[in-house]
Each structure stands twice: as structure tokens, then as C-alpha cells.
Amino acid sequence: MVEHRDRGPRRLPGHGSGSVSALVFAAGAVALWSTNALVGKSLLASHPVSQVQFLQFTGAALVFAAIRLMSGERAVPVSAGPALVSLAVGFIGLVGTMVLQYIAFASMPVIEANLVAYTWPLMVAAAVIALQNPRRPVLLGLAAVVGFIGVALVISGGRNQSWLQGDLVGYVAAFGSALCMAFYSIMVGRVATSSDRLLLPSSLIGVALTFLWCARDGFAWPVGTDLALGLYLGAGPMGLGYYFWSRALKLEGSGKVAVVAYLTPIASTLLLTLSGERLTMTAIVGAILVIGSCVAVGVERSEAENHV
């Protein structure tokens, strides 16, 4: 039997409610994700990565459990194969993305790690070129290349010193995080599992793994503002952010929604800049290239889907 999946209008002829709903969900995800690096930076200044991650996964698990309870749907048995695929997609997309991203945050300048980790929309575009048959592959490829060049300019121009100031492990982790999120964005719309059922088991695994990580590092439960911020990272950017993004992809696929997703590194970089991170003119030029390439890729993919 096939497990229940999110139901929603999907670009019905003459009716755009599915597209509008998808864009609203995607915009909500981007708004929450944009605060992730800023809040994470403030917590990592006084707490180890393991503790921040434990708070994140705890907050996310609470959100996914609440959504699961509010849905009121009965669990439907599924065969082992689809269940394992869903678990793998959720684990790689949620646990892989977030753990690697925060290892990167702790190992290199956050503004650089954030931009490298958020190259995942361009990785999705590269996957479209490699695995599908886009209408204008040359345009799509050039736009993706320009986007990566823009990210390189932002990284190289985002600091007064020369770039690549962080630990090599951090840069590898940031790219690994981007790969995990790209994989999730491609796969989430192809599995028949609803968003809450897909994400809750992965968040619980994340709670268990990060608890063991905390136990190894030495555990000290934060209080006050730090506790609230840590749980916010889980309930907001990780919990509701992932849930909104998953719903958006199930409603719309990866066409128009992609344009919204590409705004995440720009919005989060602006917030980091307001917090004191400095950007040079080179970085601003790079940001413009990223925005332009992202819009071009998103429009191309949206047009391609509309012609299917």
C-alpha cells in the first residue's frame, strides 16, 4: 500500500491556487531560513556545535510531532522499500544538511559558510541539466556557472583579508551540506510520504545522535535567551522551514518555487551584514550575479515545466 502524501491543487487548468499556495509556503521557508545563520552565529559564540544542534533537533522534533498530531491521520502500513527510501531522503535532507552546515559555521567565517551552503539551488539546476532534458540547456548551464562565480566573488570579497580563511573541513562540510539539501529538494516531491511523516523520524534520529555528541563533549543545558534561541533554530528554520519547503515542492515541483529559494543566501547575507559582518564592493557584485543567475535558472525551469 502507498502511504498518504500531501494533497493539494497542482496547477489546475485556469486555476493558479496550487502555484500561489506553493509560493506562499516557499516564501515562509525562505523567511525562516534567512535567520538561521544570524541566530546560529550568536549561539556558536558561546556554545559548542553539539549543544546547538541538540537544541535544534529537539525544537524541530517538537514541531513535526505537533504537526503530526494536528493532522489527525491514521498511519498506513507501507512496504519496507518505500519506507527506507523515505527515511533516507529525510535523513540526508534534514540531518545531513543541518549537521554539516553547523560544522561549517563553527569552522570558518559564518558569512562564507552560509553562502557556500546555500549553493544548493544551483546544484539542483546542475542536476536538471545532467538528468533531465531542459529546453535551453546552454542557457541553464551558463546561468548556473555565473551563479557559482557570483558566490566565489562574495566569498573572496566578503572580508578584508584574503579568502579561504577558515578550516578546510569547514569548506568541505559547507559543500556537503549543499549537496544534501540539493538531493532532498530533488527527491522530496518524488516520494509518496507526507511532509510530517517524512521529517519526524529524521528529526528524532537527529535528537538521539546529537545527544550522544553532547554527552561526548560534555553537556550543560543552556538557560534563558540561549535556550529560547536554540529551540527557535529548531522550531523555525529547521522545523517549519523544512515543512513549508516540503509542502511547496509537493504542490509546485521545482519550477517557480526555485526562484524564491534562490533568495535565501541573499536575505541571510544581508542580515549577517546588519549584524556586523562586512561586505566589499566585490561581494556586492557577486551577490548581484547570484541573484541574476538564480532568477534566470528559476524562470527557465518554470517555463520548462509549464511546457511539459
Side-chain angles (χ1 to χ4, degrees):
M1 298 178 65
V2 178
E3 191 176 5
H4 171 80
R5 67 179 293 173
D6 289 303
R7 300 292 184 182
R10 299 180 62 90
R11 291 177 296 178
L12 298 175
H15 195 280
S17 59
S19 296
V20 172
S21 298
L23 289 174
V24 169
F25 278 123
V30 168
L32 291 167
W33 286 342
S34 298
T35 66
N36 178 54
L38 180 61
V39 178
K41 173 189 172 184
S42 67
L43 284 177
L44 289 172
S46 55
H47 299 282
V49 180
S50 56
Q51 191 173 98
V52 176
Q53 286 281 273
F54 177 69
L55 289 174
Q56 274 193 297
F57 280 104
T58 299
L62 290 173
V63 166
F64 296 143
I67 293 172
R68 179 91 282 280
L69 290 174
M70 288 188 294
S71 68
E73 297 169 1
R74 296 174 55 189
V76 179
V78 294
S79 59
L84 288 175
V85 170
S86 296
L87 182 61
V89 170
F91 181 82
I92 293 172
L94 186 68
V95 181
T97 299
M98 298 308 298
V99 170
L100 290 173
Q101 184 180 83
Y102 270 75
I103 290 175
F105 283 174
S107 305
M108 59 190 286
V110 172
I111 195 168
E112 295 181 7
N114 182 65
L115 284 159
V116 175
Y118 279 114
T119 57
W120 64 262
L122 299 177
M123 293 181 179
V124 173
V128 169
I129 298 171
L131 303 176
Q132 299 181 16
N133 185 27
R135 295 172 62 237
R136 293 190 288 266
V138 175
L139 175 61
L140 199 60
L142 287 175
V145 169
V146 169
F148 282 114
I149 292 173
V151 170
L153 288 175
V154 172
I155 294 172
S156 63
R159 294 164 54 87
N160 292 330
Q161 302 92 345
S162 60
W163 69 324
L164 296 180
Q165 293 293 308
D167 191 325
L168 179 60
V169 172
Y171 293 94
V172 173
F175 275 110
S177 174
L179 285 171
C180 288
M181 190 60 189
F183 170 81
Y184 180 79
S185 295
I186 292 170
M187 294 299 298
V188 68
R190 304 185 182 190
V191 296
T193 307
S194 61
S195 301
D196 51 313
R197 289 180 179 172
L198 182 70
L199 294 167
L200 178 57
S202 299
S203 65
L204 293 174
I205 293 173
V207 170
L209 293 177
T210 53
F211 177 80
L212 294 175
W213 191 3
C214 282
R216 190 200 68 172
D217 291 348
F219 189 82
W221 189 260
V223 295
T225 302
D226 286 353
L227 175 60
L229 288 176
L231 292 176
Y232 164 75
L233 283 176
M238 186 185 288
L240 291 176
Y242 263 83
Y243 180 73
F244 289 164
W245 182 244
S246 303
R247 289 295 305 272
L249 290 175
K250 286 178 178 291
L251 285 168
E252 177 65 24
S254 54
K256 296 176 182 178
V257 170
V259 180
V260 181
Y262 297 139
L263 298 177
T264 307
I266 306 305
S268 57
T269 300
L270 288 175
L271 287 177
L272 286 171
T273 303
L274 292 175
S275 73
E277 295 281 350
R278 301 178 64 180
L279 287 174
T280 65
M281 185 57 66
T282 302
I284 294 173
V285 171
I288 293 173
L289 290 178
V290 171
I291 294 174
S293 66
C294 289
V295 171
V297 169
V299 170
E300 164 63 17
R301 291 170 61 194
S302 177
E303 290 180 355
E305 288 191 358
N306 289 335
H307 283 79
V308 172

